[in-house]
Amino acid sequence: MYSDDPFIDDRPLGRAMLRGLACRCPACGKGRVLQGYLKVRDTCPNCHEDLSHQRADDGPAYLTILIVGHLMLPLMAAAFIAYRPEPWQMIALFGSATVVLSLLMLPRMKGLMVAIQWSRRMHGFGDSEIAHD
């Protein structure tokens, strides 16, 4: 239900973000947002919320790179200082850890971006509710 009162948040950002990180529908929290690895469904299979308005574009990739980079760099420095591993060991360990962490985080960042857009009524999310009131 859309409200004209600017102090009433009928789409709380925090709840939507948590649902997005879980790759769930930001509206109901039950339906899966993604169809496959990164393709966003047109509608939620549970509540039929229209998700086709999303424009995540490169945002999830940038967020993933930012977070993985900030996590891996201190770990690499600490491992190098503490153990002085061979270069091939550093590449094998941290290269594979970076790839695995990136692959795990990318769909969650996509769900997060869709949830933020839905919560803030960006790119057409919520237009139909406003027109009906």
Side-chain angles (χ1 to χ4, degrees), residues 38-60:
L38 286 177
K39 182 171 177 19
V40 178
R41 295 177 186 271
D42 288 334
T43 59
C44 171
N46 187 58
C47 69
H48 307 290
E49 177 74 25
D50 185 12
L51 301 172
S52 64
H53 303 292
Q54 66 85 22
R55 299 291 176 259
D57 299 330
D58 292 334

Side-chain angles (χ1 to χ4, degrees), residues 19-38:
R19 289 175 175 176
L21 284 171
C23 296
R24 297 292 179 183
C25 172
C28 69
K30 293 184 177 24
R32 303 280 305 165
V33 169
L34 300 177
Q35 174 181 332
Y37 183 63
L38 286 177

Side-chain angles (χ1 to χ4, degrees), residues 60-87:
Y62 289 129
L63 283 176
T64 300
I65 291 168
L66 180 74
I67 293 169
V68 171
H70 279 83
L71 288 174
M72 296 308 286
L73 186 63
L75 291 174
M76 288 173 60
F80 182 75
I81 291 169
Y83 303 109
R84 298 285 181 192
E86 295 293 322

